[in-house]
């Protein structure tokens, strides 16, 4: 139809990036690759601490549910939130278990 724009989803193949820069992440009994971040966070100068999270391809993140155990670098975490970003990646918010 004339004048109608097609909208195409942007899909990036992250396999090579995850292989080079990712960390081993164990969700349940399944090992996947993801980008782990445990950066320091501060809110209004009153509350501070780390904010662990792992960024995974949607297919890998689909293995997790809130409350599940996730192991990264030998440390055990519990999934507190699942945040898909609409680009094929999902961030799992974690807390130390």
């Amino acid at each position: 139809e004339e004048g109608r724009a097609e909208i195409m989803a942007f899909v990036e193949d992250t396999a090579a990036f995850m292989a080079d820069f990712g960390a081993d992440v164990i969700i349940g009994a399944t090992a996947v690759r993801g980008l782990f971040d445990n950066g320091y966070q501060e809110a209004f100068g009153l509350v501070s601490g780390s904010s662990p999270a792992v960024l995974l391809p949607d297919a890998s993140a689909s293995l997790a549910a809130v409350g599940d155990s996730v192991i990264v670098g030998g440390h055990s975490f519990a999934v507190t939130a699942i945040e898909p970003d609409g680009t094929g990646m999902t961030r799992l918010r974690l807390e130390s278990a």
Side-chain angles (χ1 to χ4, degrees):
E1 200 172 293
E2 191 174 323
R4 182 176 163 202
E6 290 291 322
I7 298 174
M8 297 179 64
F10 176 74
V11 178
E12 181 75 27
D13 181 7
T14 59
F17 186 77
M18 290 293 178
D20 289 344
F21 300 104
D24 291 325
V25 178
I26 301 171
I27 302 172
T30 304
V32 298
R33 295 288 287 178
L35 299 176
F36 180 67
D37 180 29
N38 195 15
Y40 178 79
Q41 302 256 326
E42 186 174 303
F44 307 110
L46 302 172
V47 180
S48 62
S50 65
S51 180
V54 64
L55 185 66
L56 302 165
D58 287 346
S60 296
S62 70
L63 300 169
V66 171
D68 282 357
S69 174
V70 172
I71 299 172
V72 183
H75 299 285
S76 185
F77 299 92
V79 177
T80 60
I82 300 172
E83 303 170 348
D85 69 5
T87 69
M89 302 296 287
T90 298
R91 181 173 315 281
L92 302 182
R93 298 282 177 189
L94 308 172
E95 69 180 9
S96 294

